[in-house]
Amino acid sequence: GAVVSQHPSWVICKSGTSVKIECRSLDFQATTMFWYRQFPKQSLMLMATSNEGSKATYEQGVEKDKFLINHASLTLSTLTVTSAHPEDSSFYICSARKRTSVLNTGELFFGEGSRLTVL
Amino acid sequence: AQSVTQLDSHVSVSEGTPVLLRCNYSSSYSPSLFWYVQHPNKGLQLLLKYTSAATLVKGINGFEAEFKKSETSFHLTKPSAHMSDAAEYFCVVRPGNQFYFGTGTSLTVIP
């Protein structure tokens, strides 16, 4: 199967510090990765679309300088929350799409999510 | 315009009884449709998907869904609920390269 690993699962940090979350596709190449934010009891909110080797495309209202996304390889994308504040506390989830192939059935494969708590 | 509507934000069933989670969509194209399940503090796991093959799709853990174009629906069902089915369920539509998420249905299973 297709496995997406997200790390760390839980992170607590002080206000003003930066936190990096990694999203790795373990057994497939992902040309596109997506980053979501999920508030309690709500659906996923797409933050940005990350394409390997190019700049991420951010959704309206998402600060690109606040949420830095890097997709340096076909198996790794990172989200860095810069100068984190308590309102950035949330559950962040990544997902990946397989590189286009005849076996690509188009679904997204999700990481396990990262719970960020900013004190 | 594309959209996904999950008609029930919360469904409660007794263990051993049938489950029905409803999803309607609107799409300008023939979409692919997915159901995902999310357990607390976890990512989303794919239950099943429709990609223009058979309209009745069987997934994992005894779930299935039927694509009904005339009704623009893709309801998720299971004949007999299990306690482990308690989770959040998301209907997702992919008309092209974009994915559209429903607002989710929280399933409670009563022992």
Side-chain angles (χ1 to χ4, degrees):
Chain A
V3 178
V4 175
S5 172
Q6 198 172 331
H7 178 82
S9 301
W10 299 81
V11 57
I12 300 173
C13 69
K14 292 183 178 180
S15 187
T17 61
S18 294
V19 174
K20 180 184 284 188
I21 301 170
E22 292 187 348
C23 180
R24 292 180 185 272
S25 56
L26 296 186
D27 52 0
F28 67 98
Q29 292 182 328
T31 49
T32 306
M33 289 184 171
F34 303 88
W35 287 95
Y36 304 85
R37 184 172 179 176
Q38 187 179 32
F39 293 99
K41 305 292 185 183
Q42 294 190 27
S43 188
L44 280 68
M45 181 191 80
L46 179 65
M47 298 174 66
T49 301
S50 169
N51 292 298
E52 186 264 339
S54 63
K55 291 184 178 181
T57 303
Y58 289 81
E59 295 299 303
Q60 192 172 7
V62 178
E63 300 176 59
K64 58 182 68 177
D65 294 330
K66 174 73 171 176
F67 299 99
L68 298 178
I69 290 172
N70 183 273
H71 193 161
S73 75
L74 285 171
T75 59
L76 174 64
S77 178
T78 60
L79 168 68
T80 301
V81 183
T82 62
S83 187
H85 287 91
E87 57 265 30
D88 299 324
S89 299
S90 194
F91 193 57
Y92 293 89
I93 305 176
C94 72
S95 69
R97 287 186 64 187
K98 285 184 176 180
R99 195 173 193 177
T100 301
S101 71
V102 294
L103 299 177
N104 182 6
T105 51
E107 69 263 39
L108 293 174
F109 300 95
F110 287 83
E112 288 286 282
S114 299
R115 172 74 60 192
L116 171 63
T117 301
V118 184
L119 303 177
Chain B
Q2 338 293 331
S3 70
V4 185
T5 303
Q6 289 184 243
L7 295 148
D8 307 294
S9 60
H10 187 85
V11 170
S12 187
V13 300
S14 296
E15 189 177 16
T17 63
V19 176
L20 170 63
L21 305 182
R22 298 182 292 169
C23 174
N24 285 90
Y25 69 93
S26 67
S27 175
S28 304
Y29 311 97
S30 295
S32 295
L33 296 152
F34 311 86
W35 275 100
Y36 285 87
V37 61
Q38 184 183 31
H39 289 91
N41 292 308
K42 294 290 186 182
L44 278 66
Q45 179 186 17
L46 181 68
L47 279 178
L48 49 79
K49 58 184 180 242
Y50 166 77
T51 54
S52 75
T55 56
L56 181 62
V57 182
K58 294 187 183 297
I60 62 171
N61 302 335
F63 284 94
E64 60 183 42
E66 186 170 8
F67 172 69
K68 292 187 176 180
K69 187 175 181 179
S70 60
E71 299 177 10
T72 60
S73 69
F74 190 57
H75 301 334
L76 182 70
T77 60
K78 182 173 181 177
S80 176
H82 192 272
M83 294 299 295
S84 60
D85 295 327
E88 190 81 16
Y89 291 79
F90 292 97
C91 181
V92 180
V93 175
R94 182 177 74 93
N97 289 320
Q98 298 274 3
F99 291 80
Y100 296 86
F101 286 78
T103 50
T105 299
S106 177
L107 176 65
T108 298
V109 182
I110 303 166

